[in-house]
Amino acid sequence: GQAVRTVSTALGPLQFREFGKRGDRVAVALHGTSTSDLVLHEWDSTAVALAEEAGYHIVLPNLHSLPRAATIGLQPSALAAALLLIVRLVAGGSEVISLLLGKSWGGGLAASIAALPSRPVERLVLVAPALPDGSLTISCQAALFYARDDPAISDAASWHGALQNEVLSYMAPSGGHRILEEYVPRIVAFARRSTKLGRSASFKAAPEDMVCCEAIMASCLACKQGISIEAFCRTSATTPGCGNDAHDM
């Protein structure tokens, strides 16, 4: 397995593992709330793909390695400072997280960090993220992933409102509250996308993808059903989609 390193932060000692080559752009992936090995390693296959196919150096911190008192009511600014300390360590002084990923509890933390006024995140990936207290406005490019049978699917509408530059929204037919293998190639494609492209730019993905490249509005029934606009239009001639000009797979 990957060697575990420890860095001293203001929150306490923080363990992390690394994938990829130092010197590449840095991605950080935050796990869910469970302390099980399955959850602590749930980003591993994504990390390998990002390193091999997208040229990232990936850091996987173990947030449970922090003192328990530090993880209770963990403040986004404090966690951001700890993560940026690791980024500076592995990337020679960088002051930004090129790609921040988070699932469930880690997704809520990642989103809160991305919403900080200092804008420490260039690009954000959320998998079934937990809703934090209070509203968020997130301006960086973002991708959102859910499975239809995920118990947290009811939170999706709130996230569509918070993500001001939602480049990719993908809903798997099933899979529950997990990071699914079918998410990985889509995350890699998103990670390789130029940061200069706005949400109105076309996002080329696999034909079977269910993609929205706008912040999805509540009136977009196609998006709410988790299907492509083409599939929606084949089944409805009267109800509009979200007005998105980028559904062009």
Side-chain angles (χ1 to χ4, degrees), residues 48-184:
V48 171
L50 285 170
E52 294 180 352
E53 301 173 35
Y56 278 84
H57 183 81
I58 303 91
V59 172
L60 277 67
N62 177 1
L63 299 181
H64 295 304
S65 67
L66 291 167
R68 178 167 175 75
T71 62
I72 298 175
L74 190 57
Q75 294 300 308
S77 57
L79 180 56
L83 298 180
L84 286 170
L85 182 63
I86 297 177
V87 171
R88 287 193 292 272
L89 177 66
V90 303
S94 176
E95 292 295 330
V96 67
I97 301 172
S98 297
L99 177 67
L100 182 59
L101 308 94
K103 180 251 183 179
S104 192
W105 176 58
L109 291 172
S112 297
I113 291 171
L116 290 171
S118 58
R119 297 188 177 184
V121 177
E122 287 186 349
R123 197 171 284 171
L124 179 68
V125 171
L126 301 176
V127 175
L131 281 175
D133 295 332
S135 60
L136 297 177
T137 300
I138 300 168
S139 59
C140 67
Q141 292 186 4
L144 182 65
F145 295 82
Y146 277 100
R148 288 194 190 185
D149 58 354
D150 191 319
I153 189 65
S154 60
D155 295 339
S158 296
W159 284 111
H160 292 318
L163 301 173
Q164 300 299 297
N165 195 0
E166 186 176 0
V167 174
L168 170 63
S169 180
Y170 179 80
M171 186 180 292
S174 63
H177 198 63
R178 297 182 296 117
I179 300 171
L180 305 177
E181 285 301 317
E182 65 192 271
Y183 296 166
V184 176

Side-chain angles (χ1 to χ4, degrees), residues 30-35 39-40 42-43 64 103-106:
L30 304 181
H31 57 74
T33 189
S34 172
T35 59
V39 170
L40 294 179
E42 62 187 347
W43 282 112
H64 295 304
K103 180 251 183 179
S104 192
W105 176 58

Side-chain angles (χ1 to χ4, degrees), residues 49 93 152 195:
T195 55

Side-chain angles (χ1 to χ4, degrees), residues 220-223 225 227-237 239-241:
C220 177
L221 297 184
C223 300
Q225 293 174 16
I227 60 177
S228 69
I229 194 68
E230 291 87 354
F232 181 78
C233 291
R234 284 196 296 269
T235 59
S236 173
T239 308

Side-chain angles (χ1 to χ4, degrees), residues 182-207:
E182 65 192 271
Y183 296 166
V184 176
R186 294 159 176 90
I187 292 172
V188 169
F190 171 71
R192 295 176 63 179
R193 186 176 185 270
S194 170
T195 55
K196 296 180 181 179
L197 296 176
R199 68 185 182 189
S200 62
S202 298
F203 184 94
K204 290 295 183 182

